[in-house]
Amino acid sequence: MTASRIELVKQTMREIPDFPKEGILFYDITPILANSEAFSAVIDLFAERYRDNPPTQIAAIESRGFIFGAALAKELGCGLTVIRKPGKLPAETISESYSLEYGTDRIEIHADALSSADRCLVIDDLLATGGTAAAAVKLIERLGAQVVECAFMVELTALAGRQKLTAPVFSM
């Protein structure tokens, strides 16, 4: 049953070569979102993994992580914490910079979003080079919370992003 759901997700995702620039193969999740069976399969697979020991918070990375994080938080009965690009959160924030192939970027979280009582699951749609997820883990840990795992629908293993993460990694 699990293998057939993963296969459905793989078959539903669209690969777009040379987007957003030449040489990049973009994994488009919009067909999964448009297909209720495929989207349900993704959420069900994540929920099955964490249902017996749910986190207190899902830490979702902007923007596609919000989609999976919100649905999973509802399914598991836990909170949702958002990690956003700079300037998007209204209250006091802390930020973390990370390297990109062509420069640096930064993400932020509300300074009061988490506490030492929180066990967080970091979620995003795709793990590539690992910079964004590694910065998210650092933000969560700076707030005193524990990262129990980082979860991704897709992992581009050739880019070795999991090696940048200090937390366990799960990918479908």
Side-chain angles (χ1 to χ4, degrees), residues 37-103:
E37 187 179 358
F39 183 67
S40 292
V42 171
I43 300 307
D44 290 347
L45 287 162
F46 279 135
E48 287 168 13
R49 180 166 180 87
Y50 303 107
R51 187 169 280 117
D52 291 341
N53 189 17
T56 60
Q57 292 286 319
I58 304 283
I61 299 173
E62 186 169 343
S63 68
R64 292 179 289 188
F66 293 175
I67 298 164
F68 299 106
L72 184 58
K74 180 189 181 304
E75 185 72 24
L76 295 177
C78 61
L80 178 71
T81 297
V82 295
I83 297 174
R84 302 216 54 193
K85 295 174 183 167
K88 303 289 185 176
L89 294 170
E92 180 184 350
T93 62
I94 63 168
S95 66
E96 189 70 37
S97 295
Y98 60 97
S99 296
L100 301 165
E101 313 81 79
Y102 46 84

Side-chain angles (χ1 to χ4, degrees), residues 14-29:
R14 179 171 41 200
E15 296 179 0
I16 301 181
D18 299 322
F19 183 84
K21 62 183 186 178
E22 191 168 333
I24 293 177
L25 179 61
F26 184 81
Y27 290 87
D28 182 11
I29 65 165

